Amino acid sequence: MKITDSEVIKNSEKELIDAITGDLDWEAIEQIFKKKHNLSLEDDVEYKDGDLVIHNNTIAYKLNFDVRISLTVLFDRQGDYLDISTSNTSAQPDAEEIEEDTADAAEIEEDTADAAEIEEDIADVAEIEEDTADVAEIEEDTADVAEIEEDTADVADIEEDTADVAEIEEDTADVADIEEDTADVAEVEED
């Protein structure tokens, strides 16, 4: 047997829950939430539903809220973990965040281009150092060739001097023959 209209009870309970929800100390709730979950609530809390419940043999009010939490994972181009953070910002970033992210991305692209240029410059320097070593080797070889040419000229001089010595020895032999002939002529004249 009904003694009152169930809709009146439901509406009254809803009004009670709404009144309690509207009077909650959100700063205290945020502190408790932050302490328990290490997250902040900010403005992304949406009331879902509420009810009267029994908790540890006591009447209690259970209020359910949807809280939006965004998760940010940061890792480098090699796939290595850098950082992870949570926030309760909505999944749709505002224009200022998008602008900042775009500026950051442009800066990263610029830095990447600069890094590529630096790597090219380093490769160029290495090539120049290699070419410089090759030039030094060529200069050393050129000095060796000059020394060989000098030695060849010395050999030619020595060969010329050797030919002159041979000619002088021949002339000396001729002089000795002439002296011998002269001695023979003098001997014949004496006789």
Side-chain angles (χ1 to χ4, degrees):
M1 143 165 45
K2 274 189 175 186
I3 59 170
T4 188
D5 185 3
S6 62
E7 286 300 313
V8 171
I9 294 172
K10 285 181 186 176
N11 288 339
S12 296
E13 286 175 350
K14 185 177 179 333
E15 287 174 14
L16 176 62
I17 298 290
D18 287 346
I20 293 170
T21 304
D23 198 39
L24 289 174
D25 183 351
W26 283 103
E27 287 181 20
I29 292 172
E30 185 170 1
Q31 286 177 358
I32 295 166
F33 187 77
K34 187 168 184 105
K35 185 176 180 183
K36 187 169 183 175
H37 299 287
N38 199 25
L39 298 170
S40 60
L41 292 175
E42 294 182 16
D43 297 327
D44 292 333
V45 178
E46 185 178 317
Y47 173 74
K48 192 173 167 186
D49 59 28
D51 203 358
L52 289 167
V53 295
I54 302 294
H55 180 74
N56 294 335
N57 294 326
T58 307
I59 294 177
Y61 299 97
K62 180 179 178 182
L63 303 176
N64 296 314
F65 296 91
D66 281 334
V67 178
R68 184 178 295 165
I69 302 294
S70 292
L71 176 68
T72 301
V73 179
L74 185 65
F75 54 94
D76 63 18
R77 288 186 166 181
Q78 288 74 38
D80 297 323
Y81 163 81
L82 299 175
D83 192 23
I84 191 166
S85 61
T86 58
S87 67
N88 62 330
T89 57
S90 64
Q92 299 293 326
D94 63 16
E96 188 176 317
E97 287 176 358
I98 291 171
E99 196 173 300
E100 282 177 21
D101 291 348
T102 303
D104 290 347
E107 195 173 316
I108 289 169
E109 285 178 10
E110 195 175 303
D111 290 348
T112 302
D114 289 348
E117 259 183 61
I118 290 169
E119 286 175 0
E120 273 182 38
D121 291 347
I122 289 170
D124 290 347
V125 167
E127 200 174 308
I128 290 169
E129 287 175 349
E130 202 174 294
D131 291 348
T132 302
D134 290 348
V135 167
E137 203 173 305
I138 290 169
E139 287 174 350
E140 199 175 298
D141 291 347
T142 303
D144 289 347
V145 166
E147 201 173 307
I148 290 169
E149 287 174 350
E150 204 175 292
D151 290 347
T152 302
D154 289 347
V155 167
D157 285 346
I158 290 170
E159 286 174 350
E160 198 175 299
D161 290 346
T162 302
D164 289 347
V165 167
E167 204 175 299
I168 290 170
E169 286 175 350
E170 215 177 277
D171 289 347
T172 303
D174 288 347
V175 167
D177 283 346
I178 291 172
E179 285 177 351
E180 199 177 294
D181 288 346
T182 305
D184 285 346
V185 168
E187 209 178 283
V188 168
E189 283 178 1
E190 261 181 40
D191 286 336

PDB file of all heavy atoms in Angstrom, residues 93-132:
ATOM      1  N   PRO A  93      42.405  21.685 -27.510  1.00  0.00           N
ATOM      2  CA  PRO A  93      43.206  22.789 -27.010  1.00  0.00           C
ATOM      3  C   PRO A  93      42.661  24.122 -27.519  1.00  0.00           C
ATOM      4  O   PRO A  93      42.047  24.184 -28.583  1.00  0.00           O
ATOM      5  CB  PRO A  93      44.597  22.512 -27.575  1.00  0.00           C
ATOM      6  CG  PRO A  93      44.373  21.614 -28.737  1.00  0.00           C
ATOM      7  CD  PRO A  93      43.099  20.868 -28.471  1.00  0.00           C
ATOM      8  N   ASP A  94      42.908  25.166 -26.744  1.00  0.00           N
ATOM      9  CA  ASP A  94      42.431  26.473 -27.192  1.00  0.00           C
ATOM     10  C   ASP A  94      43.388  27.050 -28.232  1.00  0.00           C
ATOM     11  O   ASP A  94      44.475  26.523 -28.476  1.00  0.00           O
ATOM     12  CB  ASP A  94      42.227  27.429 -26.002  1.00  0.00           C
ATOM     13  CG  ASP A  94      43.510  27.739 -25.246  1.00  0.00           C
ATOM     14  OD1 ASP A  94      44.600  27.475 -25.787  1.00  0.00           O
ATOM     15  OD2 ASP A  94      43.420  28.253 -24.124  1.00  0.00           O
ATOM     16  N   ALA A  95      42.995  28.135 -28.855  1.00  0.00           N
ATOM     17  CA  ALA A  95      43.763  28.726 -29.958  1.00  0.00           C
ATOM     18  C   ALA A  95      45.164  29.115 -29.509  1.00  0.00           C
ATOM     19  O   ALA A  95      46.137  28.944 -30.250  1.00  0.00           O
ATOM     20  CB  ALA A  95      43.026  29.936 -30.511  1.00  0.00           C
ATOM     21  N   GLU A  96      45.296  29.619 -28.294  1.00  0.00           N
ATOM     22  CA  GLU A  96      46.603  30.040 -27.788  1.00  0.00           C
ATOM     23  C   GLU A  96      47.542  28.838 -27.658  1.00  0.00           C
ATOM     24  O   GLU A  96      48.710  28.914 -28.040  1.00  0.00           O
ATOM     25  CB  GLU A  96      46.426  30.721 -26.426  1.00  0.00           C
ATOM     26  CG  GLU A  96      47.701  31.355 -25.903  1.00  0.00           C
ATOM     27  CD  GLU A  96      47.464  32.100 -24.594  1.00  0.00           C
ATOM     28  OE1 GLU A  96      46.448  32.813 -24.487  1.00  0.00           O
ATOM     29  OE2 GLU A  96      48.302  31.946 -23.703  1.00  0.00           O
ATOM     30  N   GLU A  97      47.013  27.715 -27.140  1.00  0.00           N
ATOM     31  CA  GLU A  97      47.823  26.507 -27.021  1.00  0.00           C
ATOM     32  C   GLU A  97      48.253  26.003 -28.393  1.00  0.00           C
ATOM     33  O   GLU A  97      49.398  25.600 -28.587  1.00  0.00           O
ATOM     34  CB  GLU A  97      47.039  25.412 -26.294  1.00  0.00           C
ATOM     35  CG  GLU A  97      46.875  25.647 -24.811  1.00  0.00           C
ATOM     36  CD  GLU A  97      45.999  24.589 -24.160  1.00  0.00           C
ATOM     37  OE1 GLU A  97      45.486  23.696 -24.868  1.00  0.00           O
ATOM     38  OE2 GLU A  97      45.835  24.663 -22.942  1.00  0.00           O
ATOM     39  N   ILE A  98      47.310  26.042 -29.339  1.00  0.00           N
ATOM     40  CA  ILE A  98      47.631  25.592 -30.695  1.00  0.00           C
ATOM     41  C   ILE A  98      48.713  26.478 -31.295  1.00  0.00           C
ATOM     42  O   ILE A  98      49.662  25.993 -31.914  1.00  0.00           O
ATOM     43  CB  ILE A  98      46.368  25.596 -31.582  1.00  0.00           C
ATOM     44  CG1 ILE A  98      45.403  24.503 -31.110  1.00  0.00           C
ATOM     45  CG2 ILE A  98      46.715  25.412 -33.052  1.00  0.00           C
ATOM     46  CD1 ILE A  98      44.043  24.551 -31.773  1.00  0.00           C
ATOM     47  N   GLU A  99      48.594  27.769 -31.085  1.00  0.00           N
ATOM     48  CA  GLU A  99      49.582  28.711 -31.603  1.00  0.00           C
ATOM     49  C   GLU A  99      50.959  28.451 -30.981  1.00  0.00           C
ATOM     50  O   GLU A  99      51.969  28.433 -31.682  1.00  0.00           O
ATOM     51  CB  GLU A  99      49.116  30.144 -31.292  1.00  0.00           C
ATOM     52  CG  GLU A  99      49.838  31.210 -32.084  1.00  0.00           C
ATOM     53  CD  GLU A  99      49.201  32.573 -31.861  1.00  0.00           C
ATOM     54  OE1 GLU A  99      48.014  32.728 -32.168  1.00  0.00           O
ATOM     55  OE2 GLU A  99      49.933  33.452 -31.375  1.00  0.00           O
ATOM     56  N   GLU A 100      50.972  28.231 -29.651  1.00  0.00           N
ATOM     57  CA  GLU A 100      52.234  27.937 -28.968  1.00  0.00           C
ATOM     58  C   GLU A 100      52.831  26.639 -29.490  1.00  0.00           C
ATOM     59  O   GLU A 100      54.033  26.566 -29.760  1.00  0.00           O
ATOM     60  CB  GLU A 100      52.004  27.807 -27.455  1.00  0.00           C
ATOM     61  CG  GLU A 100      51.852  29.126 -26.733  1.00  0.00           C
ATOM     62  CD  GLU A 100      51.549  28.935 -25.248  1.00  0.00           C
ATOM     63  OE1 GLU A 100      51.841  27.857 -24.704  1.00  0.00           O
ATOM     64  OE2 GLU A 100      51.021  29.875 -24.643  1.00  0.00           O
ATOM     65  N   ASP A 101      51.994  25.596 -29.629  1.00  0.00           N
ATOM     66  CA  ASP A 101      52.478  24.311 -30.126  1.00  0.00           C
ATOM     67  C   ASP A 101      53.006  24.436 -31.546  1.00  0.00           C
ATOM     68  O   ASP A 101      54.021  23.835 -31.898  1.00  0.00           O
ATOM     69  CB  ASP A 101      51.365  23.250 -30.071  1.00  0.00           C
ATOM     70  CG  ASP A 101      51.013  22.866 -28.642  1.00  0.00           C
ATOM     71  OD1 ASP A 101      51.774  23.233 -27.722  1.00  0.00           O
ATOM     72  OD2 ASP A 101      49.975  22.210 -28.445  1.00  0.00           O
ATOM     73  N   THR A 102      52.311  25.228 -32.367  1.00  0.00           N
ATOM     74  CA  THR A 102      52.754  25.438 -33.743  1.00  0.00           C
ATOM     75  C   THR A 102      54.097  26.163 -33.762  1.00  0.00           C
ATOM     76  O   THR A 102      54.999  25.788 -34.518  1.00  0.00           O
ATOM     77  CB  THR A 102      51.695  26.250 -34.531  1.00  0.00           C
ATOM     78  OG1 THR A 102      50.455  25.555 -34.460  1.00  0.00           O
ATOM     79  CG2 THR A 102      52.105  26.438 -35.974  1.00  0.00           C
ATOM     80  N   ALA A 103      54.241  27.161 -32.902  1.00  0.00           N
ATOM     81  CA  ALA A 103      55.511  27.891 -32.815  1.00  0.00           C
ATOM     82  C   ALA A 103      56.614  26.957 -32.337  1.00  0.00           C
ATOM     83  O   ALA A 103      57.728  26.978 -32.873  1.00  0.00           O
ATOM     84  CB  ALA A 103      55.375  29.090 -31.875  1.00  0.00           C
ATOM     85  N   ASP A 104      56.297  26.121 -31.341  1.00  0.00           N
ATOM     86  CA  ASP A 104      57.283  25.149 -30.850  1.00  0.00           C
ATOM     87  C   ASP A 104      57.682  24.176 -31.949  1.00  0.00           C
ATOM     88  O   ASP A 104      58.863  23.870 -32.117  1.00  0.00           O
ATOM     89  CB  ASP A 104      56.729  24.371 -29.644  1.00  0.00           C
ATOM     90  CG  ASP A 104      56.599  25.242 -28.399  1.00  0.00           C
ATOM     91  OD1 ASP A 104      57.150  26.365 -28.389  1.00  0.00           O
ATOM     92  OD2 ASP A 104      55.930  24.793 -27.442  1.00  0.00           O
ATOM     93  N   ALA A 105      56.700  23.689 -32.699  1.00  0.00           N
ATOM     94  CA  ALA A 105      56.977  22.742 -33.779  1.00  0.00           C
ATOM     95  C   ALA A 105      57.847  23.397 -34.851  1.00  0.00           C
ATOM     96  O   ALA A 105      58.786  22.786 -35.357  1.00  0.00           O
ATOM     97  CB  ALA A 105      55.681  22.227 -34.389  1.00  0.00           C
ATOM     98  N   ALA A 106      57.538  24.659 -35.173  1.00  0.00           N
ATOM     99  CA  ALA A 106      58.334  25.387 -36.173  1.00  0.00           C
ATOM    100  C   ALA A 106      59.763  25.557 -35.678  1.00  0.00           C
ATOM    101  O   ALA A 106      60.720  25.397 -36.447  1.00  0.00           O
ATOM    102  CB  ALA A 106      57.702  26.746 -36.458  1.00  0.00           C
ATOM    103  N   GLU A 107      59.903  25.862 -34.397  1.00  0.00           N
ATOM    104  CA  GLU A 107      61.236  26.026 -33.813  1.00  0.00           C
ATOM    105  C   GLU A 107      62.010  24.705 -33.844  1.00  0.00           C
ATOM    106  O   GLU A 107      63.196  24.688 -34.163  1.00  0.00           O
ATOM    107  CB  GLU A 107      61.103  26.523 -32.368  1.00  0.00           C
ATOM    108  CG  GLU A 107      62.396  27.053 -31.796  1.00  0.00           C
ATOM    109  CD  GLU A 107      62.191  27.701 -30.432  1.00  0.00           C
ATOM    110  OE1 GLU A 107      61.221  28.454 -30.260  1.00  0.00           O
ATOM    111  OE2 GLU A 107      63.016  27.437 -29.549  1.00  0.00           O
ATOM    112  N   ILE A 108      61.319  23.611 -33.542  1.00  0.00           N
ATOM    113  CA  ILE A 108      61.963  22.292 -33.582  1.00  0.00           C
ATOM    114  C   ILE A 108      62.394  21.964 -35.005  1.00  0.00           C
ATOM    115  O   ILE A 108      63.505  21.481 -35.234  1.00  0.00           O
ATOM    116  CB  ILE A 108      61.012  21.205 -33.022  1.00  0.00           C
ATOM    117  CG1 ILE A 108      60.871  21.374 -31.510  1.00  0.00           C
ATOM    118  CG2 ILE A 108      61.510  19.802 -33.361  1.00  0.00           C
ATOM    119  CD1 ILE A 108      59.769  20.550 -30.887  1.00  0.00           C
ATOM    120  N   GLU A 109      61.526  22.255 -35.987  1.00  0.00           N
ATOM    121  CA  GLU A 109      61.884  22.006 -37.389  1.00  0.00           C
ATOM    122  C   GLU A 109      63.083  22.851 -37.798  1.00  0.00           C
ATOM    123  O   GLU A 109      63.978  22.378 -38.500  1.00  0.00           O
ATOM    124  CB  GLU A 109      60.690  22.304 -38.300  1.00  0.00           C
ATOM    125  CG  GLU A 109      59.616  21.250 -38.250  1.00  0.00           C
ATOM    126  CD  GLU A 109      58.407  21.570 -39.109  1.00  0.00           C
ATOM    127  OE1 GLU A 109      58.457  22.529 -39.904  1.00  0.00           O
ATOM    128  OE2 GLU A 109      57.400  20.859 -38.977  1.00  0.00           O
ATOM    129  N   GLU A 110      63.104  24.106 -37.337  1.00  0.00           N
ATOM    130  CA  GLU A 110      64.224  24.998 -37.633  1.00  0.00           C
ATOM    131  C   GLU A 110      65.507  24.455 -37.005  1.00  0.00           C
ATOM    132  O   GLU A 110      66.559  24.425 -37.645  1.00  0.00           O
ATOM    133  CB  GLU A 110      63.907  26.393 -37.083  1.00  0.00           C
ATOM    134  CG  GLU A 110      64.814  27.483 -37.619  1.00  0.00           C
ATOM    135  CD  GLU A 110      64.355  28.849 -37.132  1.00  0.00           C
ATOM    136  OE1 GLU A 110      63.200  29.223 -37.373  1.00  0.00           O
ATOM    137  OE2 GLU A 110      65.188  29.532 -36.507  1.00  0.00           O
ATOM    138  N   ASP A 111      65.408  24.009 -35.753  1.00  0.00           N
ATOM    139  CA  ASP A 111      66.569  23.434 -35.067  1.00  0.00           C
ATOM    140  C   ASP A 111      67.047  22.172 -35.775  1.00  0.00           C
ATOM    141  O   ASP A 111      68.255  21.937 -35.900  1.00  0.00           O
ATOM    142  CB  ASP A 111      66.237  23.118 -33.603  1.00  0.00           C
ATOM    143  CG  ASP A 111      66.055  24.375 -32.761  1.00  0.00           C
ATOM    144  OD1 ASP A 111      66.412  25.475 -33.249  1.00  0.00           O
ATOM    145  OD2 ASP A 111      65.548  24.261 -31.626  1.00  0.00           O
ATOM    146  N   THR A 112      66.100  21.367 -36.260  1.00  0.00           N
ATOM    147  CA  THR A 112      66.454  20.145 -36.979  1.00  0.00           C
ATOM    148  C   THR A 112      67.181  20.497 -38.273  1.00  0.00           C
ATOM    149  O   THR A 112      68.186  19.868 -38.618  1.00  0.00           O
ATOM    150  CB  THR A 112      65.189  19.315 -37.279  1.00  0.00           C
ATOM    151  OG1 THR A 112      64.543  19.018 -36.038  1.00  0.00           O
ATOM    152  CG2 THR A 112      65.520  18.022 -37.995  1.00  0.00           C
ATOM    153  N   ALA A 113      66.678  21.517 -38.974  1.00  0.00           N
ATOM    154  CA  ALA A 113      67.337  21.965 -40.209  1.00  0.00           C
ATOM    155  C   ALA A 113      68.735  22.486 -39.890  1.00  0.00           C
ATOM    156  O   ALA A 113      69.690  22.203 -40.617  1.00  0.00           O
ATOM    157  CB  ALA A 113      66.500  23.039 -40.893  1.00  0.00           C
ATOM    158  N   ASP A 114      68.855  23.255 -38.797  1.00  0.00           N
ATOM    159  CA  ASP A 114      70.163  23.766 -38.382  1.00  0.00           C
ATOM    160  C   ASP A 114      71.112  22.613 -38.065  1.00  0.00           C
ATOM    161  O   ASP A 114      72.288  22.637 -38.444  1.00  0.00           O
ATOM    162  CB  ASP A 114      70.039  24.681 -37.155  1.00  0.00           C
ATOM    163  CG  ASP A 114      69.372  26.014 -37.481  1.00  0.00           C
ATOM    164  OD1 ASP A 114      69.221  26.327 -38.681  1.00  0.00           O
ATOM    165  OD2 ASP A 114      68.991  26.731 -36.533  1.00  0.00           O
ATOM    166  N   ALA A 115      70.602  21.595 -37.383  1.00  0.00           N
ATOM    167  CA  ALA A 115      71.430  20.436 -37.036  1.00  0.00           C
ATOM    168  C   ALA A 115      71.903  19.723 -38.299  1.00  0.00           C
ATOM    169  O   ALA A 115      73.059  19.310 -38.390  1.00  0.00           O
ATOM    170  CB  ALA A 115      70.656  19.480 -36.140  1.00  0.00           C
ATOM    171  N   ALA A 116      71.014  19.611 -39.294  1.00  0.00           N
ATOM    172  CA  ALA A 116      71.386  18.968 -40.559  1.00  0.00           C
ATOM    173  C   ALA A 116      72.469  19.779 -41.260  1.00  0.00           C
ATOM    174  O   ALA A 116      73.429  19.219 -41.804  1.00  0.00           O
ATOM    175  CB  ALA A 116      70.159  18.821 -41.455  1.00  0.00           C
ATOM    176  N   GLU A 117      72.330  21.113 -41.232  1.00  0.00           N
ATOM    177  CA  GLU A 117      73.348  21.996 -41.826  1.00  0.00           C
ATOM    178  C   GLU A 117      74.680  21.830 -41.126  1.00  0.00           C
ATOM    179  O   GLU A 117      75.736  21.771 -41.764  1.00  0.00           O
ATOM    180  CB  GLU A 117      72.901  23.455 -41.718  1.00  0.00           C
ATOM    181  CG  GLU A 117      72.320  24.012 -42.990  1.00  0.00           C
ATOM    182  CD  GLU A 117      71.972  25.487 -42.845  1.00  0.00           C
ATOM    183  OE1 GLU A 117      72.876  26.296 -42.588  1.00  0.00           O
ATOM    184  OE2 GLU A 117      70.785  25.803 -42.989  1.00  0.00           O
ATOM    185  N   ILE A 118      74.645  21.760 -39.794  1.00  0.00           N
ATOM    186  CA  ILE A 118      75.875  21.596 -39.016  1.00  0.00           C
ATOM    187  C   ILE A 118      76.532  20.262 -39.365  1.00  0.00           C
ATOM    188  O   ILE A 118      77.762  20.197 -39.547  1.00  0.00           O
ATOM    189  CB  ILE A 118      75.578  21.701 -37.501  1.00  0.00           C
ATOM    190  CG1 ILE A 118      75.216  23.152 -37.147  1.00  0.00           C
ATOM    191  CG2 ILE A 118      76.760  21.222 -36.666  1.00  0.00           C
ATOM    192  CD1 ILE A 118      74.646  23.344 -35.760  1.00  0.00           C
ATOM    193  N   GLU A 119      75.733  19.203 -39.496  1.00  0.00           N
ATOM    194  CA  GLU A 119      76.284  17.900 -39.867  1.00  0.00           C
ATOM    195  C   GLU A 119      76.931  17.968 -41.246  1.00  0.00           C
ATOM    196  O   GLU A 119      77.999  17.395 -41.459  1.00  0.00           O
ATOM    197  CB  GLU A 119      75.188  16.833 -39.834  1.00  0.00           C
ATOM    198  CG  GLU A 119      74.785  16.432 -38.427  1.00  0.00           C
ATOM    199  CD  GLU A 119      73.620  15.451 -38.381  1.00  0.00           C
ATOM    200  OE1 GLU A 119      73.113  15.062 -39.462  1.00  0.00           O
ATOM    201  OE2 GLU A 119      73.233  15.077 -37.268  1.00  0.00           O
ATOM    202  N   GLU A 120      76.295  18.683 -42.187  1.00  0.00           N
ATOM    203  CA  GLU A 120      76.876  18.857 -43.523  1.00  0.00           C
ATOM    204  C   GLU A 120      78.200  19.609 -43.425  1.00  0.00           C
ATOM    205  O   GLU A 120      79.180  19.244 -44.075  1.00  0.00           O
ATOM    206  CB  GLU A 120      75.911  19.654 -44.420  1.00  0.00           C
ATOM    207  CG  GLU A 120      74.897  18.812 -45.138  1.00  0.00           C
ATOM    208  CD  GLU A 120      74.016  19.664 -46.054  1.00  0.00           C
ATOM    209  OE1 GLU A 120      74.522  20.611 -46.690  1.00  0.00           O
ATOM    210  OE2 GLU A 120      72.811  19.359 -46.117  1.00  0.00           O
ATOM    211  N   ASP A 121      78.216  20.685 -42.614  1.00  0.00           N
ATOM    212  CA  ASP A 121      79.432  21.468 -42.446  1.00  0.00           C
ATOM    213  C   ASP A 121      80.551  20.622 -41.850  1.00  0.00           C
ATOM    214  O   ASP A 121      81.710  20.727 -42.271  1.00  0.00           O
ATOM    215  CB  ASP A 121      79.172  22.694 -41.555  1.00  0.00           C
ATOM    216  CG  ASP A 121      78.278  23.734 -42.236  1.00  0.00           C
ATOM    217  OD1 ASP A 121      78.069  23.623 -43.474  1.00  0.00           O
ATOM    218  OD2 ASP A 121      77.791  24.643 -41.529  1.00  0.00           O
ATOM    219  N   ILE A 122      80.208  19.775 -40.889  1.00  0.00           N
ATOM    220  CA  ILE A 122      81.212  18.897 -40.277  1.00  0.00           C
ATOM    221  C   ILE A 122      81.765  17.936 -41.327  1.00  0.00           C
ATOM    222  O   ILE A 122      82.976  17.698 -41.393  1.00  0.00           O
ATOM    223  CB  ILE A 122      80.602  18.130 -39.079  1.00  0.00           C
ATOM    224  CG1 ILE A 122      80.358  19.106 -37.922  1.00  0.00           C
ATOM    225  CG2 ILE A 122      81.499  16.984 -38.631  1.00  0.00           C
ATOM    226  CD1 ILE A 122      79.552  18.539 -36.777  1.00  0.00           C
ATOM    227  N   ALA A 123      80.870  17.394 -42.175  1.00  0.00           N
ATOM    228  CA  ALA A 123      81.311  16.499 -43.248  1.00  0.00           C
ATOM    229  C   ALA A 123      82.223  17.256 -44.214  1.00  0.00           C
ATOM    230  O   ALA A 123      83.244  16.719 -44.667  1.00  0.00           O
ATOM    231  CB  ALA A 123      80.108  15.921 -43.979  1.00  0.00           C
ATOM    232  N   ASP A 124      81.873  18.524 -44.526  1.00  0.00           N
ATOM    233  CA  ASP A 124      82.709  19.347 -45.407  1.00  0.00           C
ATOM    234  C   ASP A 124      84.078  19.583 -44.791  1.00  0.00           C
ATOM    235  O   ASP A 124      85.104  19.498 -45.480  1.00  0.00           O
ATOM    236  CB  ASP A 124      82.030  20.690 -45.703  1.00  0.00           C
ATOM    237  CG  ASP A 124      80.802  20.554 -46.600  1.00  0.00           C
ATOM    238  OD1 ASP A 124      80.619  19.466 -47.195  1.00  0.00           O
ATOM    239  OD2 ASP A 124      80.033  21.528 -46.697  1.00  0.00           O
ATOM    240  N   VAL A 125      84.118  19.877 -43.506  1.00  0.00           N
ATOM    241  CA  VAL A 125      85.398  20.109 -42.817  1.00  0.00           C
ATOM    242  C   VAL A 125      86.248  18.848 -42.869  1.00  0.00           C
ATOM    243  O   VAL A 125      87.457  18.905 -43.133  1.00  0.00           O
ATOM    244  CB  VAL A 125      85.156  20.565 -41.351  1.00  0.00           C
ATOM    245  CG1 VAL A 125      86.428  20.505 -40.540  1.00  0.00           C
ATOM    246  CG2 VAL A 125      84.587  21.982 -41.325  1.00  0.00           C
ATOM    247  N   ALA A 126      85.629  17.697 -42.644  1.00  0.00           N
ATOM    248  CA  ALA A 126      86.364  16.429 -42.700  1.00  0.00           C
ATOM    249  C   ALA A 126      86.941  16.213 -44.100  1.00  0.00           C
ATOM    250  O   ALA A 126      88.089  15.781 -44.247  1.00  0.00           O
ATOM    251  CB  ALA A 126      85.449  15.274 -42.309  1.00  0.00           C
ATOM    252  N   GLU A 127      86.145  16.556 -45.120  1.00  0.00           N
ATOM    253  CA  GLU A 127      86.611  16.410 -46.501  1.00  0.00           C
ATOM    254  C   GLU A 127      87.766  17.376 -46.784  1.00  0.00           C
ATOM    255  O   GLU A 127      88.751  16.999 -47.435  1.00  0.00           O
ATOM    256  CB  GLU A 127      85.430  16.697 -47.448  1.00  0.00           C
ATOM    257  CG  GLU A 127      85.625  16.132 -48.833  1.00  0.00           C
ATOM    258  CD  GLU A 127      84.378  16.297 -49.686  1.00  0.00           C
ATOM    259  OE1 GLU A 127      83.296  15.897 -49.217  1.00  0.00           O
ATOM    260  OE2 GLU A 127      84.500  16.828 -50.802  1.00  0.00           O
ATOM    261  N   ILE A 128      87.665  18.604 -46.282  1.00  0.00           N
ATOM    262  CA  ILE A 128      88.738  19.593 -46.462  1.00  0.00           C
ATOM    263  C   ILE A 128      90.011  19.113 -45.781  1.00  0.00           C
ATOM    264  O   ILE A 128      91.111  19.223 -46.329  1.00  0.00           O
ATOM    265  CB  ILE A 128      88.298  20.979 -45.932  1.00  0.00           C
ATOM    266  CG1 ILE A 128      87.228  21.569 -46.852  1.00  0.00           C
ATOM    267  CG2 ILE A 128      89.481  21.924 -45.791  1.00  0.00           C
ATOM    268  CD1 ILE A 128      86.517  22.798 -46.300  1.00  0.00           C
ATOM    269  N   GLU A 129      89.866  18.554 -44.565  1.00  0.00           N
ATOM    270  CA  GLU A 129      91.047  18.043 -43.850  1.00  0.00           C
ATOM    271  C   GLU A 129      91.692  16.909 -44.634  1.00  0.00           C
ATOM    272  O   GLU A 129      92.918  16.810 -44.716  1.00  0.00           O
ATOM    273  CB  GLU A 129      90.640  17.577 -42.451  1.00  0.00           C
ATOM    274  CG  GLU A 129      90.338  18.733 -41.502  1.00  0.00           C
ATOM    275  CD  GLU A 129      89.810  18.280 -40.148  1.00  0.00           C
ATOM    276  OE1 GLU A 129      89.479  17.086 -39.985  1.00  0.00           O
ATOM    277  OE2 GLU A 129      89.730  19.142 -39.254  1.00  0.00           O
ATOM    278  N   GLU A 130      90.841  16.052 -45.235  1.00  0.00           N
ATOM    279  CA  GLU A 130      91.353  14.948 -46.045  1.00  0.00           C
ATOM    280  C   GLU A 130      92.090  15.498 -47.272  1.00  0.00           C
ATOM    281  O   GLU A 130      93.191  15.035 -47.615  1.00  0.00           O
ATOM    282  CB  GLU A 130      90.172  14.080 -46.486  1.00  0.00           C
ATOM    283  CG  GLU A 130      90.540  12.672 -46.870  1.00  0.00           C
ATOM    284  CD  GLU A 130      89.303  11.846 -47.160  1.00  0.00           C
ATOM    285  OE1 GLU A 130      88.528  11.606 -46.221  1.00  0.00           O
ATOM    286  OE2 GLU A 130      89.128  11.440 -48.331  1.00  0.00           O
ATOM    287  N   ASP A 131      91.491  16.505 -47.931  1.00  0.00           N
ATOM    288  CA  ASP A 131      92.125  17.130 -49.098  1.00  0.00           C
ATOM    289  C   ASP A 131      93.438  17.799 -48.715  1.00  0.00           C
ATOM    290  O   ASP A 131      94.419  17.733 -49.459  1.00  0.00           O
ATOM    291  CB  ASP A 131      91.178  18.152 -49.743  1.00  0.00           C
ATOM    292  CG  ASP A 131      89.976  17.495 -50.421  1.00  0.00           C
ATOM    293  OD1 ASP A 131      89.992  16.255 -50.599  1.00  0.00           O
ATOM    294  OD2 ASP A 131      89.019  18.227 -50.755  1.00  0.00           O
ATOM    295  N   THR A 132      93.470  18.446 -47.542  1.00  0.00           N
ATOM    296  CA  THR A 132      94.693  19.104 -47.063  1.00  0.00           C
ATOM    297  C   THR A 132      95.795  18.070 -46.858  1.00  0.00           C
ATOM    298  O   THR A 132      96.954  18.304 -47.218  1.00  0.00           O
ATOM    299  CB  THR A 132      94.403  19.858 -45.743  1.00  0.00           C
ATOM    300  OG1 THR A 132      93.357  20.801 -45.978  1.00  0.00           O
ATOM    301  CG2 THR A 132      95.627  20.587 -45.239  1.00  0.00           C
TER     302      THR A 132
END
